[in-house]
Amino acid sequence: MARKRKKPEIVDEKEITKITSSLHKKNVKLKKISLTDKQLALLKIIFDKESSIIFISGPAGTSKTYIAIYGALQLYNMNNERGITYVRTIAESGEKSLGALPGEMAEKINPYMMPMNEKLDELLVPGQASNLVEANIIKGMPVNYLRGASWMDEIVIADESQNFTFKELTTLMTRLGRGSKLIICGDPMQSDINGKSGFADMYSIFNDEESKEKGIHTFHFGAEDIKRSEILKFVITKIQNKK
């Protein structure tokens, strides 16, 4: 039986250059990457000057965090006054948190920065990732510490947002100030907070044309968009079909 041909990736750098043509201040050098049509469509939304909040929903392995971080780095190149903040929960599972761990906030969030650090190493030439972190251009923040924060000219990536409650997502979105952009990544299949996730509900609220006109976008990846491995695609599809 002949194998089904995979959808070809866009490997022509002209397509990426076309999107990033206005990003004239190249303070960080990114490696060349290959993108699918759908990933390019998401990048166009992230780069759109009118977009303020982008929800990205999809199963594991669909490049949600990868594209969000790539987009954030390119936006930083466009405007070097912007910083990048990576937000995650410090809850391991259910109601269990790491609040009792010794150390300052940076030490507590550090283990949860791993996905961000891995993507930075994939996307940047050697040495640049640590330079950006040391210069405080890229920083991590637990969602539990957001109250009272106000982001001006900031690119914020909220990762694993299926582990945020509705109230935490509300707090997150209401921190956004002038010149900032918020990218909210979540996988509704993998919530660790015992049915208290607010991600699907918040995604649904803003999944309409009125929100899009105001600069709030929703973007969905499906099992067919999984890039990590064919076995993961099979696993996710089987689980989804079981429901």
Side-chain angles (χ1 to χ4, degrees), residues 172-233:
L172 173 76
M173 295 172 69
T174 54
R175 302 304 91 198
L176 208 62
R178 184 190 63 252
S180 293
K181 198 179 294 276
L182 172 61
I183 306 170
I184 305 173
C185 305
D187 176 3
M189 291 180 66
Q190 296 200 61
S191 175
D192 295 322
I193 55 174
N194 297 332
K196 296 180 181 179
S197 173
F199 180 79
D201 286 343
M202 193 67 82
Y203 183 101
S204 178
I205 287 171
F206 292 98
N207 186 25
D208 57 26
E209 287 301 316
E210 181 186 17
S211 300
K212 190 182 293 184
E213 289 174 7
K214 295 293 185 181
I216 304 176
H217 297 259
T218 56
F219 195 94
H220 177 71
F221 284 116
E224 69 279 6
D225 300 306
I226 291 172
K227 307 299 295 177
R228 186 172 297 163
S229 67
E230 288 300 315
I231 189 64
L232 176 59
K233 187 180 294 188

Side-chain angles (χ1 to χ4, degrees), residues 105-122:
M105 182 181 73
E107 294 176 88
K108 291 181 181 182
I109 190 65
N110 190 55
Y112 296 87
M113 287 284 287
M114 189 180 297
M116 173 76 149
N117 293 334
E118 288 176 348
K119 300 300 184 296
L120 289 174
D121 287 339
E122 287 180 44

Side-chain angles (χ1 to χ4, degrees), residues 144-161:
N144 320 61
Y145 285 71
L146 292 186
R147 194 167 298 280
S150 180
W151 290 310
M152 299 291 180
D153 296 313
E154 192 79 5
I155 308 152
V156 182
I157 300 169
D159 204 9
E160 302 291 348
S161 296

Side-chain angles (χ1 to χ4, degrees), residues 1-32:
M1 183 176 175
R3 282 190 176 184
K4 191 175 179 181
R5 293 186 64 186
K6 291 182 182 179
K7 187 175 180 180
E9 292 187 341
I10 295 175
V11 294
D12 188 353
E13 284 295 314
K14 290 180 181 177
E15 287 296 320
I16 299 174
T17 303
K18 194 185 298 181
I19 297 174
T20 61
S21 58
S22 64
L23 313 185
H24 53 278
K25 296 181 179 179
K26 302 292 184 182
N27 272 20
V28 292
K29 184 173 177 57
L30 282 81
K31 297 173 184 175
K32 292 183 178 182

